[in-house]
Amino acid sequence: MSSHEERPEAPDGFVALPAPTAWPLVLAFGLLLIFLGVVTSAAISLLGLVLAVSGGIGWFGEVLPQERHELISMEAHEFAPKSTYRAVSRIHIDAQHRAHLPVTTPSVTAGLKGGVAGGIAMIVPATLYGLIAFHSFWYAVNLLGGAGVADWTNPTMAQITHFRLSALVTAAVIHAALSLLVGLLYGATLPMLPRHPILLGGLFAPLLWTGVLHASLSLINPFLDQKIHWVWFVVSQIAFGMVAGWVVAKQAHIRTQQYLPFAARVGLETPGLIAERHQEGLDQRTESGEEGR
Amino acid sequence: MADSTLPVDRPMELPGDLPGEQPGFTWLETLHTWVTTVDHKKLGLMYIGYALIFLLVAGVEALLMRVQLMVANNHFLSPEVYNRLFTMHGTTMVFLVGMPFIIGFANYLVPLMIGARDMALPRLNAFSFWMTALGGFFLYYSFLGAVGLQGAGSAPDTTWWGYAPLTERAFSRGHTMDYWALALVMSGIGTIGAAVNVIATVFCMRCKGMTLFRMPLLVWLNLTTAGLILVTISPLTAAQIMLLIDRYLGGHFFDSQAGGSPVLWFHFFWIFGHPEVYVLVLPAFAIANEVIPTFSRKAIFGYPAMVAASAGIAFISLGVWAHHMFTVGMSAPGNAFFVLSTGLVGVPTGIKIFNWIATMWGGKIRFTVSMMFAVAFVAQFLLAGLTGIMLSMAPWNWQLHDTYFVVAHFHYVLVGAIVFCIFSGLYYWFPKMTGKLLSERLGKWHFWLFVLGFHMTFDFMHIPGLLGMPRWIYTYQPGFGWEKWNILVGVGAFVQGIAILLFSFNMVRSYLKGAEAGPDPWDAWTLEWATSSPPPPYNFAIEPVVASRRPLWDQKHPEDPDWRYE
Amino acid sequence: MSALAAPAPPHAGSDRRAPSRGIVAMLAVIVAESAIFAIFVVAYVFYIGKSLSGPTPRQVLEIPYFNTVCLLSSSITIWLAERSLKRASTRSATRSAMRAFTAWWACTALLGAIFLAGTALEWRKLIYQDGLTVRTNLFGTTFYSLVGLHASHVIIGLIMLSFVLIFALTGKLHPQHRHRVEVLALYWHFVDAVWVVVFTVVYVIGR
Amino acid sequence: MNWRKVLRPEVFRLPVGLLAGIGLAGGRCLAQSAGRVAVKSQTIFAPHSGPAHLIEQLSYFVLEITGAIFAVVGGLLLFVVVRFRRRPTDDAAEPPQIYGSTQIELAWTVAPVLIVVVLFLTAARIIFAIETAPIPPSSLHVDVVGHQFWWEFRYPGDGFVTANELHIPVSGPETDRVSDLRILSADVDHSFWAPELFGKIDTVPNQTNRLTFDPDAVGIYYGQCAQFCGTAHAQMLLRVYVQTPDDFAAWVANQRRPAVEDPAVAAGRQFFESQSCVSCHTIRGSSAHGLYGPDLTHLMSRDTLASGIIPNTPSNLKRWIHDPQSIKPGAKMPAMQLGDSETDQIVAYLSTLK
Ligand code: HEA
Ligand code: HEA
Ligand code: CUA
Ligand SMILES: [Cu+2]
């Protein structure tokens, strides 16, 4: 590595270190005086310029044609670090497991898939409600996507039941973002939850969520809060949860990848540094494969 | 550069041993070794010492302000003096205390932690220090040298934001703003130099086996910070140059008379100003990242996530600056965008807090003073972050902006997080730097007094903010219910002052007659503990080779080394 | 005690070649410089067409084609110079390769100087003929600042280039100094690249 | 008024909000006690207009959410610190080493994102509701101009100018009158703010900002400049007088009249007009047309002098004219070096400008 490449060879018992020098200070002081001259008088700036130039030239002299080093005497001692802690305890999950919490997990994509499926499923009861109660396909979309805001503060019934592009876009963005996030969260927490993931995620979580929304929707989106039919809302939420849970549960679980180095897991590959490390990572994988599991 | 093949045509000096640390040397020679040094450890110590001095100076400025605000309609300070005090206090604390502290720690620790003998560019390192240091003295010279609006002797007095057009010639005659701008350009050059150096060191000087993902988190965070500095301090420097062009050459960048836009300055300042606060806080996180695992006796939880979160914070922080400008009159979509981006900064920050808690979880926590400061930091930073979230809700910000609620928020981070981490780091590495342990008994007094003072000052400071007390006011009328809180706040500031005095005493006393530290007093795991305290000029006689993130752990527990699992 | 004896785990990490610290540092400097330029460019763009009084860019600016060609081709000549130096360090024909280096390097410096002279002439015209100064209007302020910032970088580059040229002419420069020359060349490429941005903003978009 | 129709009156409460208690309940009690004990109040927790109400609701919502986060995370931290501290009974082994867990980390990444999204949706709705609220034709238009250390209020519809004390009509269910202000600056940045009526909005040179609100209760509301603007920034106070429609109409009628001409103080008037006062001040109907200082045409209709610093009494007026800097250091009005009797004459004249 460069750190030893650059140093000139030093005789035994010595080490070559960069030699101390005052030139950087002279340069800095020169710049200070230049600046000070700007607020006081040009003469000071001139002095500063002289100092700065000589500082710069002096600095050049330090590094040209080669960096100046000084020799420092060095005593080499072996150092054997010791700890007062004599042993390391382990978490006992099973005999060969040391440090990686859940052993298997639904993959991240499983959660996302669940979220997507749930999000699509949820559209059905929501739209159904609009169709049944108001004979409109767009009612639910418009409620979510912007009625009650700014120039659309008090839409008429006709307006809410008819297509409006901005509302569709807003609603789609909100709905997609929330579905994906909830799916992700769901996928991530599933392995940590006790049994009955579908019951928990499909029934209990939606009820909790609806409760929270019921309490806070008047502020988040008061118009939606006024117009919403809570039974249908709960039904939609449960539809989301059931479908998402079902999809996530259907996905194959994969083993935790904790033991791979970060770079390997992310799949970072850039020439030079990484290539070799990747190689090394592969070695270690087989290595810990034998040792750890 | 690898001119290894070049023959050594220059004889090497043979001073042999260290002047200044030998009994036979005069103080002048000692001074000479410090002034001409290019050693990263000496420079690191100089940065830290310099920051400590300015902490006292700016702290005294804060105390004077608090005395003035203790009662309504006070006449202790004139408005001119008060305005200079808060401007100098803010500027000093950010540029001459916070920055030197973090750069000092980076300078001292990064080479040691990656097993190098020095920084990559030792002479640039010295130059950067002197630029920062002289920039600070230049700023303070304005107290004597600047002829301001009110006659002789005057310092910058337009807040550390320096909002245009108040800083233009038309409204700030005299030279105070020139001192301010030039001083910040100077120390800015120093800071950028230091950042360049950290980056080059990390990329080029790592010892054998020290891959990027085996670097201690402290090194990672300082690398991130250095990268952030490059794109953060530079805009400030650019904006200051524009201001100087306006003031000296008659330009119109921020001159509203000629169609110039003050809002441009607001943007430029906050494009610097917001990431700057993360420049300050990331190295503070870095300290906690070393202290918390050591005293919990556990590896850091989620190392890759911590790295990613730091990068995430640095990245997102570049896109949130206008949350300081919600009241400037941005469009509704603009405001909404900055609400969202600001909120998202909370996510990687949250990851860090959760990971620290998870690191402590299941550990055997040793409450040394260093660890106490680190734990207090986590708690306080949590609260401070949450008040940040409140401020980021644009409509609420229209009420809270420029009140003492904001002042309370940012002191909660700047003092409650950064200063606490710096104390934590000083208790942790003082033994390495000097070879002496700091007294734990005095340290506990220091800790509890400082916690008490901190909470008295900055908890209660939120309340006058909610009651409508704006910042930057040297006086106020009675009857708004602010008085009682201001008394508490003022008393708290003095308690902090006493705690800091105690700390200074602790440092001096422990340096003179503290207990010997030995190379590894905390039973820690990173490379700096693998050499004597203080380390020799060459750091390591034999250049280390590492196989994992915790090389000393591997040695201490050969039956269960990390390299098997990483 | 002063050093950690090497532990001996398997695969302790192979000995990589670390990147040159000069190059890394220069890249970092370039990032910082880019940020400075970015701010000046933003200010320029923000104020396009906002001046309260004349002259406007359209009235007074002429597109400096010749200048631009000179500066951009200096990037090529400096690359050729670098290549010669590299050859000098590997080939037996060191003497002639060094001579080629000196020639290309001198070319680069010359082209840079021509560019600078061109800018000086442009400014002279603007100041004395069109009466445009920093004080005139927003255009003047932003124009001189941005172009001047770039020119100051060219000046610094030229000073460094001439140092190397002097060393080369006096025979003090050896192929082993290649890596330092590379660092300087990197800076010069950056100055050229910035000109592309400045050119686009000032003479294409801004006109 | 539209936003009142938008919002439901009941303030919702999450059960967890209780946990936020310390900050939140504390804050509210404080706000109330301050309101009760103090003569005047400038708190953000006593809203008296549509936007101010909306902001207050948002603030409680955010306080509850952040309070809940604080309770959970802070509780966790407390638990960990107590539960996992080293005890004398511990064995001499290092605890089990845990390097991380992607699942857990994923979970605590996504959950905050969700919270942020919810907060964002709420804030965004309120931003749009306040910033893009329609301005009904019946609105009152006023131009607010920030000056170094005082406020100028121009009523373009009625053609008069006043200073430091803004008068507007109340907007109740019967009288729907929104105040629509244009916010301008004459020199540097200031920030216009009366917390009980509206959030602050900066006055920025070369930029026109807009502020609309509907005050819902009659009274005097306090505020002050919130952006540092120079030496006397701390003394750049302001007041908003929200009046019944009748009171407001009477006030407007008075302001529209040119200055009172009282022959009893003709000497004072003449002296005033001979001084350089006229280059900075305007008194409509006299030869004073200065625009640098406050309009003095109806000086006596104001309760305070020098932007809310001192009550408008003859003795204060005399002190002010004698030496403004001793009352408001940094104010842009110089001490005019007048003799005692000359000052008295001017004060006598100004005192007639009802
Ligand atoms: C080190 C310094 C530091 C840090 C780290 C922060 C962090 C944050 N700050 Fe702060 N801030 C300052 C220093 C800092 N700030 C300073 C100096 C000023 C004023 C300058 C001046 O005016 O002079 C300021 C001003 C300031 C303002 C402008 C106020 C105003 O003038 O009107 C705002 C507004 O949005 C803000 C917001 C935030 C946010 C959202 C964070 C976030 O990064 C906080 C993130 C942390 C958390 C949120 C807590 C932990 C997270 C969790 C437990 C996860 C769950 C949480 C959620 C889902 C929300 N800050
Ligand atoms: C790292 C940054 C940092 C730190 C550590 C501090 C620390 C403190 N700050 Fe500072 N502050 C800022 C950064 C910081 N501040 C910034 C950026 C601003 C904005 C400026 C602006 O608006 O332009 C600001 C503004 C600011 C204000 C607002 C002024 C105004 O707007 O009117 C106040 C008011 O109380 C204040 C107080 C304090 C106090 C009491 C401390 C205390 O924690 C200080 C404790 C230290 C000491 C007390 C000194 C040590 C003790 C001695 C030297 C011994 C002597 C003591 C005794 C005899 C008791 N600060
Ligand atoms: Cu006007 Cu502050
Ligand atoms: Cu910020």
Side-chain angles (χ1 to χ4, degrees), chain C residues 95-110:
Chain C
R95 184 73 54 79
S96 70
M98 278 311 284
R99 235 178 277 131
F101 166 79
T102 314
W104 285 124
W105 197 263
C107 263
T108 311
L110 189 68

Side-chain angles (χ1 to χ4, degrees), chain D residues 37-59:
Chain D
V37 177
V39 210
K40 27 187 200 173
S41 103
Q42 195 163 305
T43 164
I44 68 171
F45 287 118
H48 281 293
S49 78
H53 272 293
L54 267 182
I55 295 176
E56 194 205 28
Q57 289 196 355
L58 175 69
S59 65

Side-chain angles (χ1 to χ4, degrees), chain D residues 54 123 196 203-204 263 335:
Chain D
L54 267 182
E196 292 165 345
T203 78
V204 182

